[in-house]
């Protein structure tokens, strides 16, 4: 309310209204003084009439300016929504690709043909990531590319596009959507362990590949890696990046769901 008042005072209508208001007050004071000193009634009435007419003009100007501001605000709101929807056309495609590789990462390879590759669910366990280094089974990626490589590629593209969206839209009327997108970007950077996870693809521990060791440890629930991290028992352990990846996947799926829910309401939004 205070910001709207400041904006109105700085507008042309506000400046004119304040000027006319000051003049009307002066005229009313002069009229009162003239009345006390028994000057001509005609002059007195004329001054009162001018003052009240000026007040009427102020009210009219304020009403017209309010109507114009309201129309401009509605137009700005529509324009912002249109920008968001234009960005969403591509984000929608990116989310589809994201979900394809996300589900490859969180699903053991023998169950991948049984699931909907576009499911959006955070209901999965740490052990379900046991085949993240195996191929995604999508022919477009070939047989040499692992699920986690494909996932990280699309996740980075989605994150960068969201950053671009934040930089080019004010989000004056869609603050909650801005918060969702910013949270996705923040968590994506905060939990980014791709350097360690992808670096293990060429590393060995003795004669055994690091990725084979990692997948074996992930698959065995008896290790309780999540519990160990919470208890501070995984300092510098090779499994820390995988636990962080698990937490990131949980967070991002929840944020994507919130994003999709918000966009559904935006499509049905009526600007009044």
């Amino acid at each position: 309310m205070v910001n709207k008042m400041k904006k109105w005072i700085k507008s042309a209508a506000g400046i004119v209204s304040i000027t006319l208001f000051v003049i009307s007050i002066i005229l009313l004071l002069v009229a009162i003084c003239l009345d006390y000193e028994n000057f001509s009634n005609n002059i007195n009435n004329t001054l009162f009439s001018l003052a009240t007419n000026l007040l009427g003009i102020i009210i009219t100007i304020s009403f017209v300016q309010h109507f114009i501001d309201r129309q401009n605000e509605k137009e700005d709101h529509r324009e912002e929504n249109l920008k968001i929807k234009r960005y969403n056309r591509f984000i929608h495609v990116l989310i589809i690709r994201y979900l394809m590789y996300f589900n490859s990462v969180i699903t053991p390879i023998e169950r991948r043909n049984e699931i909907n590759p576009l499911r959006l669910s955070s209901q999965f366990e740490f052990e379900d990531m046991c085949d993240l280094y195996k191929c995604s089974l999508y022919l477009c990626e070939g047989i040499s590319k692992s699920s986690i490589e494909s996932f990280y590629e699309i996740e980075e593209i989605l994150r960068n596009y969201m950053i671009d969206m934040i930089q080019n839209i004010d989000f004056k009327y869609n603050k909650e959507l801005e918060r969702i997108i910013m949270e996705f970007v923040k968590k994506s950077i905060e939990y980014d362990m791709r350097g360690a996870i992808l670096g293990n693809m060429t590393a060995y521990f003795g004669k055994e590949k690091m990725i084979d060791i990692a997948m074996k440890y992930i698959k065995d629930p008896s290790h309780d890696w999540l519990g160990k991290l919470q208890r501070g028992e995984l300092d510098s352990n090779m499994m820390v990046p995988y636990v962080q990846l698990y937490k990131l996947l949980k967070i991002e799926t929840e944020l994507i769901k919130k994003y999709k829910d918000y966009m559904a309401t935006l499509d049905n939004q009526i600007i009044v």
Side-chain angles (χ1 to χ4, degrees):
M1 185 66 183
V2 175
N3 290 334
K4 287 185 177 180
M5 181 61 70
K6 289 181 179 179
K7 183 179 178 181
W8 179 80
I9 290 174
K10 292 179 181 180
S11 67
I15 294 172
V16 172
S17 296
I18 292 172
T19 302
L20 292 178
F21 179 75
V22 172
I23 293 173
S24 66
I25 293 298
I26 293 172
L27 290 176
L28 286 173
L29 290 174
V30 171
I32 292 171
C33 291
L34 288 176
D35 186 47
Y36 284 142
E37 295 175 9
N38 295 318
F39 275 81
S40 169
N41 285 335
N42 288 333
I43 296 175
N44 184 278
N45 291 336
T46 299
L47 292 174
F48 267 112
S49 178
L50 283 172
T52 53
N53 285 339
L54 287 175
L55 290 174
I57 292 172
I58 291 171
I59 294 172
T60 302
I61 291 174
S62 298
F63 176 79
V64 171
Q65 186 62 44
H66 172 76
F67 177 78
I68 293 173
D69 289 344
R70 185 59 183 157
Q71 289 299 114
N72 289 339
E73 186 175 348
K74 288 166 66 175
E75 186 59 34
D76 289 344
H77 195 165
R78 289 193 189 94
E79 183 60 32
E80 179 175 294
N81 284 10
L82 287 174
K83 284 183 180 180
I84 291 171
K85 289 177 181 179
R86 284 196 292 269
Y87 269 91
N88 182 60
R89 292 172 190 167
F90 189 50
I91 284 185
H92 176 71
V93 175
L94 295 179
I95 288 176
I96 290 175
R97 298 283 290 182
Y98 176 99
L99 293 177
M100 288 168 55
Y101 299 115
F102 158 78
N103 282 301
S104 293
V105 169
I106 66 158
T107 308
I109 199 163
E110 67 271 12
R111 299 209 317 259
R112 289 183 190 173
N113 290 328
E114 303 171 5
I115 65 164
N116 176 3
L118 300 182
R119 66 174 177 166
L120 177 56
S121 174
S122 58
Q123 302 303 310
F124 60 93
E125 304 300 328
F126 180 72
E127 295 77 34
D128 293 328
M129 301 194 311
C130 61
D131 290 328
L132 78 166
Y133 284 113
K134 294 184 180 179
C135 63
S136 65
L137 301 185
Y138 293 116
L139 295 178
C140 59
E141 298 297 337
I143 61 172
S144 62
K145 203 166 193 178
S146 66
S147 297
I148 190 61
E149 287 178 284
S150 298
F151 169 79
Y152 271 136
E153 284 182 5
I154 189 62
E155 196 267 354
E156 185 174 11
I157 293 172
L158 177 59
R159 180 182 72 192
N160 290 340
Y161 197 72
M162 285 184 170
I163 292 173
D164 187 63
M165 188 177 181
I166 290 292
Q167 291 175 335
N168 288 285
I169 298 177
D170 292 333
F171 288 99
K172 182 179 178 181
Y173 307 99
N174 295 278
K175 292 295 183 184
E176 177 60 17
L177 181 61
E178 180 185 35
R179 188 197 68 77
I180 293 169
I181 295 172
M182 283 297 298
E183 189 69 8
F184 186 97
V185 172
K186 177 184 175 182
K187 296 302 182 183
S188 174
I189 296 172
E190 182 181 343
Y191 286 84
D192 190 352
M193 292 286 163
R194 72 193 66 206
I197 291 175
L198 298 181
N200 282 341
M201 295 182 69
T202 56
Y204 283 79
F205 184 76
K207 294 183 178 181
E208 193 172 6
K209 292 181 178 179
M210 290 293 288
I211 61 174
D212 291 334
I213 297 173
M215 289 191 290
K216 180 173 62 177
Y217 282 171
I218 292 171
K219 191 172 185 177
D220 186 354
S222 66
H223 290 290
D224 187 25
W225 300 113
L226 297 177
K228 287 180 179 178
L229 182 67
Q230 291 174 350
R231 294 189 296 270
E233 300 173 5
L234 285 186
D235 292 342
S236 303
N237 191 287
M238 65 166 285
M239 296 306 293
V240 170
Y242 300 97
V243 177
Q244 294 291 79
L245 171 64
Y246 173 78
K247 292 166 67 176
L248 174 65
L249 296 177
K250 290 275 188 177
I251 293 169
E252 288 190 342
T253 49
E254 289 297 329
L255 290 171
I256 288 175
K257 185 179 184 302
K258 289 180 180 180
Y259 173 86
K260 289 169 70 69
D261 289 344
Y262 192 97
M263 291 306 303
T265 63
L266 193 71
D267 289 335
N268 299 321
Q269 190 178 100
I270 299 175
I271 301 173
V272 295

